[in-house]
């Protein structure tokens, strides 16, 4: 089974894991730039009822970074922990994603990437093979390498999702 994403073209290269800390920071900065340059109304608008707005995608990615940070820390201190689902769809309403201030989310997103990146700078080589039971899309044992690379995919994929909805040059370009 491959985890590669046909929709955005992301390839799950687990050898990227040690580089994810810096790459996550770069993608977060591009996401923040999109939030700071676009009109607030465009950021809050959904292209369709079932498609999140750019602001909602940004809030989701911020929360993914924070949740993944905790999962990495848990896997480093506990043998094969079970990662609870983050409740991605419920958070949109429960945390009021659509009502958040884009500039605040931009700052929080870059801070969350820095926090996530910090824990990724710490594992010695052997610890990248530590595992946890990851519940999405279905429960499976995953290594910290996979968690890091999967998080990078989340950033890249949702930056593309958000960029498709904002007029002008996309932060996902380049």
């Amino acid at each position: 089974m491959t985890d590669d994403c046909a929709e955005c073209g992301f390839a799950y290269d687990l050898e990227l894991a040690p580089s994810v800390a810096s790459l996550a920071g770069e993608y977060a900065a591009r996401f923040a730039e999109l939030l700071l340059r676009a009109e607030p109304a465009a950021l809050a608008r959904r292209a369709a009822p079932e498609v999140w707005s750019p602001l909602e995608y940004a809030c989701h990615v911020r929360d993914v970074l924070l949740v993944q940070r905790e999962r990495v820390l848990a896997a480093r201190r506990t043998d094969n922990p079970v990662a609870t689902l983050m409740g991605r769809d419920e958070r949109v309403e429960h945390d009021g994603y659509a009502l958040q201030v884009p500039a605040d989310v931009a700052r929080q997103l870059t801070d969350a990437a820095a926090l996530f990146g910090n824990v990724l700078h710490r594992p010695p080589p052997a610890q990248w093979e530590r595992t946890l039971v990851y519940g999405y899309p279905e429960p499976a044992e995953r290594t910290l390498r996979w968690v890091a690379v999967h998080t990078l995919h989340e950033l890249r994929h949702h930056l593309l999702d958000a960029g498709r909805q904002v007029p002008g040059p996309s932060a996902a370009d380049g």
Side-chain angles (χ1 to χ4, degrees):
M1 177 184 121
T2 180
D3 291 311
D4 294 352
C5 182
E7 183 180 345
C8 76
F10 186 85
Y12 274 68
D13 178 358
L14 299 185
E15 296 306 312
L16 277 178
S19 304
V20 167
S22 62
L23 294 169
E26 291 172 21
Y27 279 111
R30 289 163 58 186
F31 224 132
E33 187 275 325
L34 182 142
L35 292 172
L36 294 173
R37 78 162 166 76
E39 293 293 323
L43 292 171
R45 188 177 317 115
R46 284 183 168 201
E50 69 282 355
V51 176
W52 289 345
S53 70
L55 181 57
E56 290 168 325
Y57 278 121
C59 290
H60 168 69
V61 169
R62 173 203 57 206
D63 288 355
V64 163
L65 288 162
L66 295 171
V67 168
Q68 297 294 69
R69 176 182 184 264
E70 291 305 315
R71 290 171 174 168
V72 168
L73 289 169
R76 289 198 61 209
R77 72 176 179 269
T78 308
D79 289 335
N80 212 28
V82 176
T84 59
L85 296 176
M86 70 177 280
R88 56 173 274 154
D89 293 319
E90 296 83 1
R91 283 174 184 254
V92 176
E93 180 185 334
H94 294 173
D95 197 26
Y97 282 3
L99 303 173
Q100 295 189 25
V101 177
D104 292 346
V105 176
R107 184 191 72 254
Q108 294 160 359
L109 184 54
T110 56
D111 288 347
L115 289 165
F116 179 66
N118 182 57
V119 301
L120 293 185
H121 283 302
R122 307 260 174 269
Q127 284 212 345
W128 283 105
E129 303 312 316
R130 289 190 62 83
T131 60
L132 70 158
V133 177
Y134 200 88
Y136 184 84
E138 56 191 45
E141 191 173 276
R142 303 289 191 168
T143 64
L144 289 185
R145 283 184 182 283
W146 184 90
V147 172
V149 172
H150 179 67
T151 306
L152 185 63
H153 172 242
E154 285 278 315
L155 273 161
R156 182 178 187 273
H157 192 111
H158 293 317
L159 180 59
L160 290 169
D161 289 334
R164 287 183 194 121
Q165 297 182 58
V166 177
S170 173
D173 294 338

